[in-house]
Amino acid sequence: QVQLVESGGGLVQAGGSLRLSCLASRSIFSIGGMAWHRQAPGKQRELVAAITAGGTTNYADSVKGRFTISRDNAESTVYLQMNDLKPEDTADYYCDARRFGVDYWGRGTLVTVSN
């Protein structure tokens, strides 16, 4: 079974940093890209960052220059380094692996950014 487990969320003041981690099943991690999405209360889920199997990255305009996605293939882990956090970054953050048109999600980790 596919397993994605996020960690690293928490409460941080504006301007601070957090690093999120997603440990994935090696079988699913090794065959494609990974992504981070977030969903704030009452709002739709949005793509934050994505990375292909080859290491190519893309970011939402709102996080460019502040967030960095990376992957450790040996450990089947994808990271999201979040710097200069803003209150509008507050959301549940989810790890995503899309395979054969199906999205596999972790249970999420909450990031709360206070003023």
Side-chain angles (χ1 to χ4, degrees), residues 11-28:
L11 175 64
V12 65
Q13 293 185 0
S17 298
L18 287 172
R19 189 179 74 158
L20 306 183
S21 299
C22 173
L23 177 63
S25 303
R26 181 180 294 181
S27 60
I28 198 69

Side-chain angles (χ1 to χ4, degrees), residues 25-32 53 71 73 76 99:
S25 303
R26 181 180 294 181
S27 60
I28 198 69
F29 186 90
S30 65
I31 64 173
R71 62 191 294 159
N73 292 334
S76 298
R99 305 290 184 268

Side-chain angles (χ1 to χ4, degrees), residues 14-93:
S17 298
L18 287 172
R19 189 179 74 158
L20 306 183
S21 299
C22 173
L23 177 63
S25 303
R26 181 180 294 181
S27 60
I28 198 69
F29 186 90
S30 65
I31 64 173
M34 303 290 292
W36 287 95
H37 293 74
R38 67 187 182 188
Q39 186 168 20
K43 305 195 73 174
Q44 292 186 330
R45 182 189 66 188
E46 64 173 341
L47 175 68
V48 176
I51 185 167
T52 69
T56 301
T57 60
N58 67 85
Y59 300 91
D61 288 341
S62 60
V63 306
K64 285 181 179 177
R66 299 189 297 120
F67 290 11
T68 303
I69 188 171
S70 61
R71 62 191 294 159
D72 184 334
N73 292 334
E75 298 296 329
S76 298
T77 301
V78 61
Y79 301 96
L80 185 68
Q81 178 66 46
M82 305 185 295
N83 298 325
D84 191 24
L85 283 161
K86 303 175 180 180
E88 51 263 43
D89 295 318
T90 295
D92 285 307
Y93 284 72

Side-chain angles (χ1 to χ4, degrees), residues 97-109:
R98 176 169 287 183
R99 305 290 184 268
F100 304 103
V102 177
D103 284 301
Y104 298 88
W105 301 98
R107 287 174 288 183
T109 186

